[in-house]
Every structure is written in structure tokens, then in C-alpha cells.
Amino acid sequence: MHACSCGTSSPKGIARLLVRIGFGLSLIFLGISHYQDPEFAEAVGRGLGAFETLGMAWGYILPALYIIGGVLLTLGLFMNIAAWVAGIALVSVPAGLLLKSVFGINLNDTMPLALNSWIWVIIFMYAVKGTMCECDNACACCDDEKPPLAKHTV
């Protein structure tokens, strides 16, 4: 799979571009809002038993990952890095929430938040998928109007 610019010559290409930019901006704003909340890092660590310190450290790293991933997605730069950074940040949330249930927080308190977090992951998958093509190393397949480039053999 190669990252490519899917153009704005079709409604599908326009939708892909807008979803990627909109989701990237949402991640940036989410990261900033977490840094503006002075209790966020402590809340991330709370309920993790012996891992509270590690959880609190993650509470400081997580917003940075949202911001970095969001900037890269919004600008369409280094899409593999953007996918890793944003993806790790996003999937860590439901995993961390459910880990809190292992350490004693009632599952009824963590499950709704974990399910809401998976919605972000699903949207992330669509935003990233719109930037990738699977067609014999040719990015022309992103545009509905253009056929895939033919392989040239020498």
C-alpha cells in the first residue's frame, strides 16, 4: 500500500480529503484540550494500582501523540508515521480503560467510555484508509475516473 493524493476530481476523492483533514483537526483539538485540563494526566493514572505512575506518565504523552498524529494527518505528511502515532494513541484508550476494570474499577463505569473510544478508532480507520491505495503500486486508482496504471515491463 502506498500513500497517495486521491485528488478532488470526484466526490469520493473530496470526501476522503475532508474526512482526513477533519479527523486530523479533531485529534489536534483533543490533544490541546487534554493539556488544558490540569487533572487529565492524574485521571489517566487513577485506578491502575501499581501502574498509576506509568498511567500518569502516559497521560502526559497521550495528548502529544494526538497532536502530532493530527498535524501529520491534516497535512497529509508522513502518513505511515501519522497512522502509527495516532493509532497507538487511540487504541490505548479503550485498552487502558478496560485495564482499570482488571484493577478493580467497575466494568459498568469503564465499558461505556471504552466503547465510545472504539468509535474514534473506527473513524480513524476510515480517515487513514482514504489515503491508501491497493493497486499494483499505482496511485492512479484513487481517482474513480482514472484506470490503474499498467505495469510496464522492460
Side-chain angles (χ1 to χ4, degrees):
M1 290 173 67
H2 295 347
C4 58
S5 171
C6 290
T8 56
S9 60
S10 72
K12 194 176 200 178
I14 293 167
R16 287 174 173 162
L17 176 69
L18 293 175
V19 167
R20 178 180 55 81
I21 291 171
F23 190 75
L25 288 171
S26 297
L27 286 175
I28 294 167
F29 302 148
L30 181 64
I32 291 170
S33 69
H34 284 325
Y35 275 135
Q36 290 176 332
D37 180 358
E39 298 175 9
F40 177 73
E42 184 180 325
V44 171
R46 193 176 308 123
L48 289 175
F51 297 105
E52 281 194 15
T53 304
L54 184 61
M56 186 180 289
W58 186 248
Y60 288 106
I61 296 168
L62 182 63
L65 295 177
Y66 284 148
I67 293 168
I68 293 167
V71 167
L72 293 176
L73 277 172
T74 300
L75 298 177
L77 298 174
F78 307 106
M79 291 305 294
N80 285 339
I81 295 170
W84 274 106
V85 170
I88 288 170
L90 290 167
V91 300
S92 74
V93 175
L97 286 164
L98 295 173
L99 179 61
K100 289 182 177 195
S101 292
V102 171
F103 287 109
I105 294 181
N106 191 323
L107 189 60
N108 291 330
D109 295 331
T110 60
M111 184 59 84
L113 299 171
L115 291 174
N116 183 49
S117 298
W118 279 112
I119 293 170
W120 278 81
V121 174
I122 292 167
I123 296 169
F124 163 73
M125 289 176 56
Y126 280 109
V128 171
K129 182 179 179 186
T131 66
M132 306 305 283
C133 300
E134 292 183 51
C135 52
D136 298 328
N137 298 327
C139 283
C141 65
C142 288
D143 292 326
D144 294 334
E145 295 85 11
K146 297 179 187 176
L149 296 176
K151 283 187 177 180
H152 297 287
T153 57
V154 178

